[in-house]
Amino acid sequence: MGFKTGIVGLPNVGKSTLFNALTRTAAAQAANFPFCTIEPNVGEVAVPDPRLEKLAVIAGSKQIIPTRMTFVDIAGLVKGASRGEGLGNKFLANIRECDAIAHVLRCFEDGDVTHVDGRVDPVRDAETIETELMLADLESIEKRLANLVRKLKGGDKEAVQQDRLLRAALAALEDGRPARTVEVEEEDRKAWEMLQLLTTKKVLYVCNVAEDEAATGNALSEAVAAMAEAQGAASVVISARIEEEISQLDPEEAEMFLSELGLEEAGLDRLIRVGHNLLDLQTYFTVGPKEARAWTIHKGDSAPKAAGVIHGDFERGFIRAETIAYADFVACGGEQGAKEAGKMRVEGKSYLVQDGDVMHFLFNA
């Protein structure tokens, strides 16, 4: 399981340039005019994890299979998108299918690149997009509430729950707050997620800065960071142009290039790490002579649920999980050494998987 992140932003903020760099393709046309992305471009990238390579070396695995992250490059939104302005309705639907939203914000000055509002102000740009998403949610909620009236009269329990949750979201939106600020009880969590409201999505602000500011950021990116902190969101500073250049280099050249710029890692790595934290994701591994593979799950997932990511039968017929912590696997030189040292544990259905666990599942077919 990876996760799907929609890349959104006003026109000409660097969305498609970033997408091209992240997916190492030219699938998205980066051009200096609005709506150059007419269809959403979808790209998958491997999630870098040095632990996986180390496990593969120890186990002599023939193949390394990292987990993957999906990016969706969604065309530039404009004021009025919730009413269908520009290419609004279609792209709001695309956002609805994503797990998280990466707001790419222009935090650089460049007279050669037109800003749709004529002035660079990333906080205002973020507010413009958030407002459009909130307006779209308001319209959606009003329609759904109207459609529930008949079921409510009939005492339908599911309709009663939906009505209650929709009205909680409506109250927040009418108060000028996104739906993600609503506190939802655990028993309502699944129904809440099924509502697929745009403003329930986790938000990551991507500050696109000039190349010489990638390591330090600037006053504009600092303003975004303050806004993100106040909202309980996340932010990351990236130079889309640098990422584009790195994507054309081999690993050794890329490392030298980053070092010259005073950067410890590529923007993609930072983006993935912040995104994982934002969505409460973690990784476990399956390792053997055939392959070493990474699997992404949510923090707090049980062993059966983690097994289900591999195949539904693994979850349904779960018996137990033979588990070795990553550090123990490495320190003991692999599975056999871990067994001999008493570091392999047998975990049952109630075990909550920890980040880095190396697991082998036993199940009834």
Side-chain angles (χ1 to χ4, degrees):
M1 174 187 129
F3 61 95
K4 183 184 288 188
T5 300
I7 302 177
V8 305
L10 296 177
N12 298 338
V13 298
K15 298 185 314 303
S16 294
T17 300
L18 179 62
F19 176 84
N20 289 342
L22 292 174
T23 59
R24 289 173 171 77
T25 72
Q29 176 195 10
N32 182 27
F33 55 88
F35 311 126
C36 64
T37 308
I38 303 303
E39 294 295 333
N41 292 280
V42 180
E44 283 196 341
V45 296
V47 175
D49 193 328
R51 297 177 300 179
L52 183 59
E53 296 180 12
K54 194 160 188 174
L55 291 171
V57 170
I58 293 172
S61 305
K62 293 180 180 178
Q63 190 177 12
I64 296 176
I65 306 176
T67 189
R68 306 188 74 79
M69 175 191 290
T70 301
F71 288 101
V72 182
D73 181 27
I74 299 171
L77 295 176
V78 296
K79 194 175 293 184
S82 60
R83 301 189 304 275
E85 295 292 331
L87 299 170
N89 289 334
K90 191 169 185 179
F91 303 115
L92 292 172
N94 292 328
I95 293 171
R96 206 178 301 279
E97 298 172 1
C98 295
D99 300 304
I101 299 173
H103 281 201
V104 181
L105 299 171
R106 178 172 170 175
C107 295
F108 65 88
E109 298 282 357
D110 187 339
D112 294 330
V113 181
T114 306
H115 190 287
V116 70
D117 283 337
R119 182 171 60 89
V120 177
D121 184 343
V123 172
R124 177 206 57 206
D125 293 351
E127 290 171 349
T128 295
I129 292 175
E130 185 84 301
T131 297
E132 293 306 320
L133 298 183
M134 289 172 68
L135 289 171
D137 275 349
L138 279 168
E139 182 180 353
S140 172
I141 289 171
E142 289 168 358
K143 288 180 180 178
R144 293 189 200 188
L145 288 173
N147 291 333
L148 286 174
V149 172
R150 182 178 297 177
K151 289 184 177 180
L152 288 171
K153 288 179 179 178
D156 185 295
K157 289 183 179 180
E158 188 175 317
V160 170
Q161 183 186 38
Q162 286 184 13
D163 182 79
R164 174 168 52 80
L165 294 176
L166 286 169
R167 291 190 183 282
L170 180 64
L173 292 165
E174 289 180 337
D175 193 38
R177 296 180 290 112
R180 60 180 167 273
T181 61
V182 175
E183 292 187 15
V184 180
E185 298 295 332
E186 190 58 39
E187 58 266 27
D188 289 328
R189 179 61 56 186
K190 186 174 181 180
W192 176 255
E193 291 173 355
M194 290 291 287
L195 296 178
Q196 285 194 307
L197 296 174
L198 298 171
T199 60
T200 59
K201 309 291 184 184
K202 295 288 185 73
V203 177
L204 167 60
Y205 294 110
V206 182
C207 301
N208 185 16
V209 301
E211 292 183 40
D212 59 352
E213 296 173 327
T216 60
N218 56 30
L220 293 172
S221 64
E222 288 173 6
V224 172
M227 174 185 66
E229 185 177 359
Q231 295 178 358
S235 67
V236 62
V237 174
I238 283 180
S239 169
R241 288 298 179 192
I242 287 178
E243 298 306 312
E244 190 174 44
E245 291 182 50
I246 291 173
S247 70
Q248 308 303 318
L249 303 175
D250 63 41
E252 189 174 328
E253 290 175 329
E255 190 174 339
M256 290 178 60
F257 182 58
L258 288 169
S259 179
E260 290 172 2
L261 294 169
L263 297 170
E264 295 181 0
E265 59 183 347
L268 171 60
D269 295 354
R270 291 198 302 278
L271 188 58
I272 289 173
R273 188 175 63 252
V274 174
H276 268 239
N277 290 336
L278 186 68
L279 289 172
D280 292 326
L281 300 175
Q282 62 180 1
T283 302
Y284 79 87
F285 305 101
T286 52
V287 183
K290 183 179 178 181
E291 66 180 34
R293 185 162 186 162
W295 304 89
T296 302
I297 59 173
H298 287 93
K299 293 176 183 176
D301 277 355
S302 65
K305 195 163 187 178
V309 174
I310 299 176
H311 196 287
D313 288 346
F314 283 28
E315 181 175 6
R316 286 187 290 272
F318 179 90
I319 299 173
R320 63 180 182 273
E322 296 176 345
T323 307
I324 306 170
Y326 169 78
D328 291 335
F329 192 98
V330 173
C332 297
E335 182 177 323
Q336 188 58 39
K339 281 183 179 178
E340 293 171 357
K343 296 297 184 180
M344 175 183 280
R345 311 184 310 274
V346 176
E347 302 289 359
K349 293 182 178 181
S350 62
Y351 176 67
L352 302 183
V353 178
Q354 301 300 302
D355 185 58
D357 277 352
V358 180
M359 309 189 78
H360 176 67
F361 299 105
L362 285 84
F363 66 101
N364 281 320

